[in-house]
Amino acid sequence: MTTTTPPAAQPEAGSAAVAVATPSSADVGGGDSRPSDEAILQHERRLREELAASQPLVSPSAPLFDALSREYAGGDPRFVRKLDALRPRARALRRVRRDGNCFYRAFAFRVCELVLHERLRKVGGAAPGAMTPGGDWLAAVEGRVQRSRDVLTAAGYDPIITEDFYDPFWEALHASDDQSLLEKFQTE
């Protein structure tokens, strides 16, 4: 059931009338003004879609100090001092969508990025200035990932369920370049 604009608010002659839809108590389930579960789920879905359209899960790398200097211009002097202390050690910033999984996504991305750069360094194709750990770190990471999967299976987790995480992570761990790695982290 809908109502129209009250007579006092009717537009002048020659202009269009606007109907304003307001739910009646019959529309929301017998006098209860709370939204239905389906309405809440639809609203959450719309919010996720809007967020996905406005911000990637993992952003491309950006110069750290350009981005943060603009963002915190005129900010707390203590924060600016800490930012200055990072200058010699950090070169870039990646934004990660704040959706409840951001820490895990950022951590997994950085591990995959370090593995990629280590692999490229070993074959002589590392990007200039790429941070890469020494030793046989790549084999150690792969072994740890496999052992963690084995631990979950031994603890009773169904391997079919753990595949939902491990298969995409294993693919990302073996990305061929920075761009393909970034693309692998753009799906949930």
Side-chain angles (χ1 to χ4, degrees):
M1 175 175 189
T2 59
T3 59
T4 57
T5 319
Q10 289 293 333
E12 295 181 15
S15 61
V18 177
V20 178
T22 56
S24 69
S25 60
D27 293 336
V28 291
D32 188 0
S33 64
R34 293 175 291 177
S36 68
D37 290 346
E38 183 59 33
I40 292 170
L41 291 173
Q42 286 177 355
H43 179 70
E44 287 176 352
R45 201 171 306 121
R46 277 192 305 274
L47 289 175
R48 278 194 301 274
E49 289 168 0
E50 288 173 14
L51 184 59
S54 68
Q55 183 183 10
L57 291 171
V58 178
S59 75
S61 181
L64 175 67
F65 298 101
D66 294 344
L68 290 178
S69 295
R70 282 190 308 274
E71 189 172 330
Y72 293 100
D76 186 339
R78 291 174 294 180
F79 180 79
V80 174
R81 280 194 307 275
K82 291 176 184 181
L83 187 58
D84 288 337
L86 281 175
R87 277 186 202 277
R89 296 185 304 205
R91 290 182 293 277
L93 167 78
R94 283 190 196 275
R95 301 234 182 238
V96 177
R97 186 183 306 161
R98 299 172 184 167
D99 64 355
N101 293 318
C102 51
F103 169 78
Y104 304 108
R105 186 176 299 113
F107 181 81
F109 183 88
R110 186 60 179 148
V111 166
C112 292
E113 187 175 43
L114 287 171
V115 165
L116 169 64
H117 290 178
E118 173 67 4
R119 191 177 327 100
L120 292 174
R121 184 188 64 77
K122 282 187 173 188
V123 296
M131 287 179 36
T132 57
D136 201 9
W137 194 73
L138 174 59
V141 170
E142 288 175 340
R144 190 164 294 216
V145 168
Q146 185 57 48
R147 284 190 305 277
S148 70
R149 187 177 195 173
D150 296 341
V151 166
L152 289 173
T153 301
Y157 285 90
D158 189 337
I160 292 172
I161 293 172
T162 60
E163 286 172 6
D164 289 345
F165 167 76
Y166 279 98
D167 290 348
F169 181 69
W170 194 260
E171 277 185 36
L173 204 55
H174 293 90
S176 58
D177 57 43
D178 286 323
Q179 185 59 38
S180 68
L181 175 61
L182 190 59
E183 288 170 5
K184 290 179 188 306
F185 272 83
Q186 295 310 315
T187 57
E188 292 192 50

